[in-house]
Amino acid sequence: MATANDDDVKIQMLKADGVAHEDIQEEPSGSEISEPIPGVKRKGRNLFFNDGKSRIDYILAWTRPEKEDENTEKAKKARDIFHHNLQEEGLQLELDDSDPEIRYMKVHATWEVLSRYGEILKIKMPLQETIVSADIQKKYSKWETLEEENPVKAVSVQIWTAITGLFKRFRAPFELDSSIVPPMAKKYTLAFSRDREYMFDMPINKDEFFTVSERCRIVDFILRRKSFGEDKNQAFSFGIKKMLADGFYSAAYPVHEGHWKAGSAMNSRKLLYDNWAHWSKFFKIQPLDHIRDYYGEKIGLYFAWLGFYTQMLVPASIMGLIIFIYGIAIMGDSYPSIEICDPKLNITMCPLCDFQCPYWKLQEACSHATASRIFDNNATLFFAIFMSLWGTLFLEFWKRKQAVIQYKWDMIDFIKEEEPPRPEYLAKLADTAKTKVNPITGLKEPHLPFWRRRFPTYLLSYSVMIFMASLAIAGVVGVIAYRVSTLAALNLLHDDGTVRSNSTIVKGTTEVIYKNASLVTTITAALINLALIIILNFIYSKIAFWLTDFECLRTQSEYDDSINIKLFALQFVNYYSSIIYIAFFKGRLVGRPGDYNMVFGARQEECEPGGCLIELCIQLAIIMAGKQIVQNNLIEIALPKLLKLAKRLYRRKFKKETAEQKANMAAWEKDYELSVAENTSLFQEYLEMVLQFGFLTIFVAAFPIGPLCCLLNNIIEIRFDALKFTTDLRRPVAEKTADIGIWFSVLYAISRIAVVSNAFIIALTSDFIPRLVYANTYSQDGSLVGYMNFSLSYFNTSDFDSRHKPPHWDEVQICRYRDYRNPPWVEEKYEYSQAYWHILAARFAFVVVFENVVIVITSLIAWLIPDVPSKLRKKIRREAYIASEIVIRTELMKARGQSPAGSLLDSIISKMSFPNLPSKDNGNNVSDLRKRGKAEITSVDDDNIDA
């Protein structure tokens, strides 16, 4: 062991005294560890002090300094004060200085500390089984109400029972084996009170009363509030977060409960790996209660939301796949496509660019137009409405699911404790002279005047955001310029001798590229745009955090909300700007041959006769797939794996670390090698899914198989995230939260935007409205025969001016172009025709009708579906009532000197009023009533509550 320096001497008193022992290391094979105390055997990791009794609840780690200087002395003093204050609080500390580079301080919370802070934090704990019998739930699965006992049930009840029964049978193959992953039933709980300790389900060893995650949360609560400075009233010198920011500690984390690898002793971490993170369980429903028990409510709620979202994608995927198959089936039977592909029509189209592009034949767009009918058909309208309703149902049913989770996890009346200032906030304002007493905590904190400090900061911050968003728009403009120039260049690859080669392969390839010039241009432009998006995404993430740090926000909640808004706003512009351009602007303000609208000296892009919807579909597919494959899988998953492998190779080659040395490392040393579970780790996860939700809902009319792609991605995403939390990250502190925060508001805003977006995509981007107008107004027999001729206008090539004349312009007298304008042989030539105004009016009428109908329907659905299921509302009220009755009657029985455990619940239930109960049961069947009452209190059936 290394020689102790001054820091060692000061904290030598913290070590276990007089206990001879061996280091108890992890046994991957599951064999028993050594016995520091005779008669006590444990398997798996060593999670205890050297005495073998005190559990390690937290680890504080810091690096050994290579040389002593002023900073190391300052750090030593701060740690000494901090350790002393922790001991005064009642925590036990023990030093491990066996590592030559890192020191570890093990922290243990005694029963006195746990019970005191359990009462302060109002942690809900289960009552004694003698008060609320747990085995009643095994006998009676639900409350048998009068309606359920009545043999004559309403038809609606029978239908709903049949539906829920069918759903349960469908869900059965996806459930985990209950013998391996036992379900965690909802227990009847009350906020812990030391004065009423006799009411709670107290084990023989009180240290096992609070769960491991609750113990870690209590210790973290203390660590974030203890001072490390001599002046305890100063906000600049308290909290573990501030010490980490100042470099006084290198890490602070709870210890994982065991190893996850095969052969390790069974523990909570291994159970989650085997039944949640392992790829063989990709089709199984997540063990949410076990996730919450190990990682806390905040992480548990994220996975609950992600799992629910993935399940909701199943009906959307099925419907989208049906629409896609329908589009494939009819794509060859569409009259517009048939007319485009018919060479007999011999329609000559006007050039796609000035000077160099030649005239071209309409049938050259045959494949493009045929493929567009897969997505641009009458079913598109139905699918847009369906997805708008789906988005509303998803949000409404999530609120109900969230209410059930809040009840089961005892988060109904959760109130977040007052937050201390962020350490970064205090560090930046350490030299400020302006201070203000916090009215909540009573501490002196630095104060920033709004108009003198805050307003200029916010102004600069959001100005930079606008500039960064403009970079994404500039990237879109650059891609547009690429498309225009590339399309013009590819159109020169004509069989007029431009390409001179004796190779048949070269000539054949050139001909294929020329015939598919638009498709090649669209795909390559989308790939370039994807590359720009990935680059800007990296820059935006750095800029968003830099700007939020620059704003110097006081609390972590303010910081989190600010970074969420910035990240979403910047990524929204980054990912959606090119799609919005194609959907709503491309081909809208082009002008006409001979009088094109010029931008930066060049013509704007046009939509082909087949429409722009196929280009929108290609853009969506490439960006969605690229985002999921490149960013989600390669950057977020493959890159960390490669870095981890490189780190392992470095330790083996340069530090000469052997497998035996690795196995002999203590649990806290192995966890130190893992990546830090950052507070911002869930930011990116939520942002990724919210952006995906935007792709699905805002532009779904152009990509009906999008939900299926997202479903497959999310199935993989859940397992990757589970694997990351289980194997690659240190154990995070179990944080409590009652909902998904600001992300629900973002999702709601996206669902409202989606209604407007889909209305305009159908009205402007697709040919649905022009075809509808033609069939009902201009067609002689109500069919689409002649529609393509109707949608193309005439242009006399003699009207070309000298600046826009194509080569050999006089070889063709009349060319056609996509628009609704008067022909050159009428007096008001080239002006918008009557059909144009008719179609324009129909487009906007459709947008108004679509928006209002969908919004009315979705609002009605939201109003009809209550946020909290009625059955759950009754349960909450009954639990609150019985909770107060238990406290009142327990205190009364205690005052009388009676035992409060035995017949307390019997006396409460027997006095409860059940007006719908038949009179023959009143007072005569108290035993049955007791069983029903206990079953109602102790059982939670998620499916029935959700109904």
Side-chain angles (χ1 to χ4, degrees):
M1 183 176 294
T3 304
N5 57 17
D6 294 339
D7 202 9
D8 299 332
V9 175
K10 293 179 181 178
I11 53 182
Q12 189 69 29
M13 53 176 290
L14 303 175
K15 294 186 176 181
D17 50 328
V19 180
H21 68 282
E22 298 177 359
D23 288 338
I24 308 171
Q25 305 299 341
E26 181 180 4
E27 296 290 341
S29 62
S31 61
E32 295 177 357
I33 62 174
S34 59
E35 298 183 51
I37 299 177
V40 178
K41 294 184 178 181
R42 295 191 181 94
K43 291 183 178 181
R45 272 188 162 187
N46 171 29
L47 301 175
F48 295 85
F49 278 19
N50 293 335
D51 60 8
K53 297 180 180 179
S54 303
R55 182 183 180 88
I56 300 173
D57 296 314
Y58 224 92
I59 292 293
L60 305 177
W62 66 94
T63 56
R64 290 177 180 264
E66 296 181 357
K67 61 179 181 178
E68 300 292 336
D69 55 22
E70 184 179 351
N71 292 329
T72 58
E73 289 296 329
K74 181 180 178 181
K76 287 180 187 178
K77 183 177 181 181
R79 285 195 297 268
D80 290 341
I81 295 174
F82 191 64
H83 295 159
H84 177 73
N85 291 336
L86 293 181
Q87 287 182 300
E88 282 192 339
E89 191 66 35
L91 296 177
Q92 294 181 359
L93 306 180
E94 182 178 87
L95 178 67
D96 177 9
D97 59 357
S98 58
D99 192 292
E101 297 179 359
I102 308 295
R103 291 186 166 195
Y104 302 93
M105 182 65 73
K106 296 174 280 187
V107 183
H108 167 71
T110 62
W111 166 250
E112 192 278 331
V113 173
L114 294 173
S115 60
R116 174 157 40 96
Y117 277 94
E119 184 174 19
I120 292 171
L121 297 176
K122 296 181 175 59
I123 299 177
K124 289 190 174 183
M125 303 302 295
L127 293 174
Q128 289 187 38
E129 291 187 359
T130 53
I131 294 180
V132 182
S133 181
D135 59 0
I136 294 296
Q137 184 178 359
K138 301 176 183 177
K139 300 178 181 178
Y140 299 92
S141 61
K142 59 182 178 181
W143 182 276
E144 297 177 358
T145 61
L146 178 63
E147 291 79 6
E148 292 168 341
E149 293 176 348
N150 190 349
V152 182
K153 296 183 179 180
V155 176
S156 60
V157 175
Q158 295 179 11
I159 295 175
W160 183 252
T161 303
I163 293 174
T164 54
L166 180 64
F167 176 75
K168 288 181 179 179
R169 286 195 295 272
F170 172 78
R171 180 172 169 161
F174 304 100
E175 297 281 359
L176 290 166
D177 188 347
S178 59
S179 62
I180 300 176
V181 186
M184 304 177 72
K186 169 74 166 69
K187 296 182 179 180
Y188 189 58
T189 59
L190 287 176
F192 180 75
S193 171
R194 288 181 292 177
D195 295 336
R196 301 190 179 96
E197 185 178 310
Y198 52 84
M199 296 177 58
F200 296 92
D201 191 11
M202 195 70 62
I204 297 176
N205 183 4
K206 287 186 176 182
D207 281 344
E208 298 176 358
F209 179 59
F210 291 96
T211 65
V212 176
S213 60
E214 287 165 346
R215 296 173 66 97
C216 297
R217 181 184 169 220
I218 289 173
V219 173
D220 182 73
F221 184 86
I222 298 172
L223 294 176
R224 286 188 285 114
R225 282 157 178 78
K226 285 291 108 180
S227 172
F228 58 87
E230 296 178 350
D231 186 357
K232 295 184 179 181
N233 294 322
Q234 280 292 334
F236 295 102
S237 58
F238 79 92
I240 185 64
K241 298 293 184 183
K242 185 68 168 62
M243 298 188 75
L244 288 169
D246 291 344
F248 298 160
Y249 289 110
S250 59
Y253 52 93
V255 184
H256 277 295
E257 293 183 31
H259 213 293
W260 55 270
K261 291 184 177 179
S264 301
M266 181 53 65
N267 57 80
S268 299
R269 184 187 185 191
K270 181 172 172 54
L271 183 141
L272 286 175
Y273 174 79
D274 291 343
N275 301 279
W276 176 47
H278 200 276
W279 286 107
S280 62
K281 299 296 189 295
F282 77 93
F283 61 96
K284 295 291 186 178
I285 295 174
Q286 302 179 90
L288 294 176
D289 292 332
H290 291 270
I291 297 171
R292 171 252 184 173
D293 186 63
Y294 194 82
Y295 290 110
E297 285 77 6
K298 187 173 184 179
I299 294 176
L301 198 59
Y302 162 72
F303 282 103
W305 175 83
L306 180 56
F308 181 78
Y309 170 51
T310 304
Q311 291 177 16
M312 286 291 291
L313 284 174
V314 173
S317 301
I318 295 173
M319 185 58 65
L321 185 60
I322 292 173
I323 298 297
F324 180 70
I325 294 173
Y326 169 79
I328 293 176
I330 68 163
M331 68 177 182
D333 298 331
S334 171
Y335 274 113
S337 298
I338 293 173
E339 292 175 347
I340 290 176
C341 297
D342 187 2
K344 296 179 181 179
L345 294 179
N346 195 29
I347 298 177
T348 301
M349 302 296 293
C350 296
L352 295 175
C353 66
D354 294 335
F355 304 115
Q356 297 176 329
C357 291
Y359 300 104
W360 57 286
K361 295 298 182 180
L362 179 61
Q363 61 264 26
E364 294 175 11
C366 176
S367 58
H368 194 114
T370 303
S372 69
R373 292 298 169 258
I374 299 175
F375 310 100
D376 188 2
N377 53 66
N378 294 335
T380 303
L381 173 61
F382 169 78
F383 191 59
I385 297 175
F386 173 85
M387 289 303 295
S388 297
L389 300 179
W390 175 87
T392 300
L393 289 173
F394 163 66
L395 295 177
E396 293 303 317
F397 282 127
W398 165 248
K399 286 192 288 187
R400 293 168 64 86
K401 180 70 174 179
Q402 183 175 264
V404 175
I405 292 173
Q406 289 173 348
Y407 170 71
K408 194 171 184 180
W409 292 355
D410 290 321
M411 302 295 294
I412 292 292
D413 52 357
F414 170 72
I415 300 175
K416 195 168 185 179
E417 62 266 12
E418 176 65 19
E419 293 184 87
R422 294 173 59 247
E424 296 83 357
Y425 171 83
L426 298 175
K428 282 191 175 184
L429 303 179
D431 299 328
T432 186
K434 184 72 174 179
T435 60
K436 187 178 181 180
V437 176
N438 187 305
I440 308 299
T441 63
L443 294 175
K444 289 183 178 181
E445 295 181 6
H447 175 67
L448 293 178
F450 179 78
W451 290 108
R452 189 167 60 87
R453 296 287 299 274
R454 287 289 189 194
F455 180 75
T457 300
Y458 288 147
L459 183 62
L460 178 60
S461 177
Y462 285 94
S463 298
V464 173
M465 278 192 63
I466 294 173
F467 171 75
M468 296 307 299
S470 66
L471 290 182
I473 298 175
V476 173
V477 174
V479 172
I480 293 171
Y482 166 82
R483 268 202 295 258
V484 171
S485 58
T486 302
L487 185 61
L490 293 180
N491 275 282
L492 295 177
L493 301 177
H494 198 257
D495 56 354
D496 58 356
T498 305
V499 177
R500 296 179 176 86
S501 176
N502 295 325
S503 174
T504 305
I505 297 176
V506 172
K507 289 184 177 180
T509 304
T510 302
E511 185 66 20
V512 171
I513 293 175
Y514 169 73
K515 290 182 178 180
N516 298 277
S518 179
L519 183 62
V520 171
T521 302
T522 300
I523 293 175
T524 55
L527 291 173
I528 292 173
N529 191 39
L530 174 63
L532 289 174
I533 286 173
I534 294 174
I535 294 172
L536 287 176
N537 180 44
F538 176 78
I539 297 174
Y540 283 168
S541 296
K542 299 295 183 182
I543 291 294
F545 281 100
W546 179 78
L547 290 177
T548 309
D549 291 337
F550 178 70
E551 290 175 4
C552 201
L553 299 173
R554 178 183 173 272
T555 65
Q556 190 64 41
S557 293
E558 294 174 352
Y559 183 90
D560 293 349
D561 289 344
S562 180
I563 194 66
N564 287 342
I565 292 297
K566 288 185 178 65
L567 283 173
F568 177 73
L570 291 173
Q571 301 293 17
F572 186 94
V573 176
N574 190 25
Y575 280 103
Y576 297 157
S577 54
S578 61
I579 302 173
I580 290 173
Y581 163 74
I582 295 175
F584 305 125
F585 296 101
K586 184 177 179 180
R588 302 287 172 263
L589 305 172
V590 175
R592 62 170 179 83
D595 189 22
Y596 286 111
N597 296 321
M598 311 297 287
V599 177
F600 301 113
R603 281 170 50 179
Q604 298 183 47
E605 289 186 283
E606 300 180 49
C607 293
E608 285 195 3
C612 281
L613 199 65
I614 187 64
E615 293 186 41
L616 179 60
C617 176
I618 294 172
Q619 188 83 2
L620 271 169
I622 290 178
I623 290 179
M624 286 181 65
K627 178 183 183 298
Q628 293 169 0
I629 294 174
V630 177
Q631 183 177 343
N632 301 355
N633 296 337
L634 294 182
I635 297 179
E636 293 184 10
I637 298 170
L639 185 59
K641 292 291 184 183
L642 292 175
L643 293 176
K644 185 177 180 180
L645 179 61
K647 187 176 181 180
R648 186 181 304 169
L649 293 174
Y650 168 79
R651 293 177 65 89
R652 288 180 180 178
K653 185 172 182 179
F654 294 98
K655 303 189 74 174
K656 307 300 181 182
E657 183 182 76
T658 64
E660 183 179 357
Q661 290 175 327
K662 178 71 175 178
N664 290 331
M665 291 174 65
W668 47 91
E669 293 178 301
K670 291 183 178 181
D671 287 358
Y672 184 84
E673 300 295 327
L674 299 177
S675 300
V676 181
E678 299 285 355
N679 289 331
T680 58
S681 60
L682 289 182
F683 289 176
Q684 299 294 342
E685 305 298 341
Y686 272 116
L687 178 62
E688 178 185 330
M689 291 297 109
V690 168
L691 289 172
Q692 183 192 96
F693 182 79
F695 281 119
L696 278 184
T697 53
I698 297 177
F699 307 106
V700 74
F703 195 45
I705 59 172
L708 179 61
C709 298
C710 293
L711 174 63
L712 298 177
N713 173 80
N714 288 5
I715 292 173
I716 299 173
E717 180 74 20
I718 290 175
R719 303 305 154 180
F720 270 133
D721 288 346
L723 200 64
K724 178 176 66 176
F725 275 98
T726 308
T727 64
D728 297 337
L729 298 181
R730 295 174 190 162
R731 183 174 184 172
V733 177
E735 296 184 54
K736 282 186 174 289
T737 186
D739 50 45
I740 62 174
I742 197 173
W743 294 114
F744 184 85
S745 300
V746 175
L747 290 169
Y748 179 81
I750 289 176
S751 69
R752 298 294 93 182
I753 294 172
V755 176
V756 180
S757 174
N758 283 298
F760 276 101
I761 287 176
I762 295 173
L764 299 180
T765 310
S766 76
D767 277 352
F768 176 79
I769 297 301
R771 292 198 302 265
L772 188 66
V773 171
Y774 175 79
N776 288 277
T777 305
Y778 296 94
S779 177
Q780 295 180 356
D781 56 0
S783 68
L784 291 177
V785 176
Y787 169 74
M788 187 47 59
N789 186 64
F790 167 77
S791 65
L792 297 177
S793 297
Y794 294 86
F795 180 74
N796 192 328
T797 59
S798 61
D799 292 329
F800 274 124
D801 58 24
S802 58
R803 297 176 301 168
H804 302 100
K805 283 184 179 180
H808 313 292
W809 64 272
D810 54 351
E811 292 180 356
V812 175
Q813 183 177 1
I814 296 292
C815 66
R816 309 291 294 275
Y817 60 99
R818 181 182 171 88
D819 209 340
Y820 299 94
R821 292 179 182 267
N822 293 328
W825 50 81
V826 300
E827 184 177 354
E828 296 180 350
K829 64 178 182 179
Y830 305 136
E831 297 294 330
Y832 287 118
S833 64
Q834 181 181 357
Y836 170 84
W837 300 110
H838 192 172
I839 292 173
L840 183 64
R843 290 183 195 271
F844 284 103
F846 171 82
V847 170
V848 173
V849 172
F850 182 92
E851 287 180 12
N852 284 278
V853 169
V854 173
I855 287 176
V856 167
I857 294 175
T858 53
S859 300
L860 182 62
I861 290 173
W863 178 74
L864 290 174
I865 300 176
D867 295 346
V868 181
S870 58
K871 204 167 188 177
L872 177 59
R873 192 179 293 110
K874 292 177 183 178
K875 283 180 175 286
I876 295 172
R877 291 176 61 188
R878 181 175 286 115
E879 183 171 311
Y881 168 75
I882 294 182
S884 61
E885 287 294 313
I886 285 178
V887 173
I888 293 171
R889 294 182 183 278
T890 302
E891 292 301 316
L892 178 60
M893 296 177 73
K894 183 182 177 184
R896 292 176 178 175
Q898 301 174 356
S899 174
S903 59
L904 175 62
L905 192 61
D906 285 340
S907 63
I908 294 174
I909 292 178
S910 64
K911 297 178 182 298
M912 289 175 64
S913 174
F914 298 92
N916 293 328
L917 200 64
S919 58
K920 66 179 181 180
D921 284 348
N922 287 342
N924 298 327
N925 200 3
V926 175
S927 176
D928 183 60
L929 194 61
R930 181 178 186 269
K931 293 176 181 178
R932 297 181 192 175
K934 289 185 177 181
E936 164 66 11
I937 293 169
T938 59
S939 67
V940 173
D941 189 332
D942 287 354
D943 297 330
N944 289 338
I945 288 178
D946 256 339

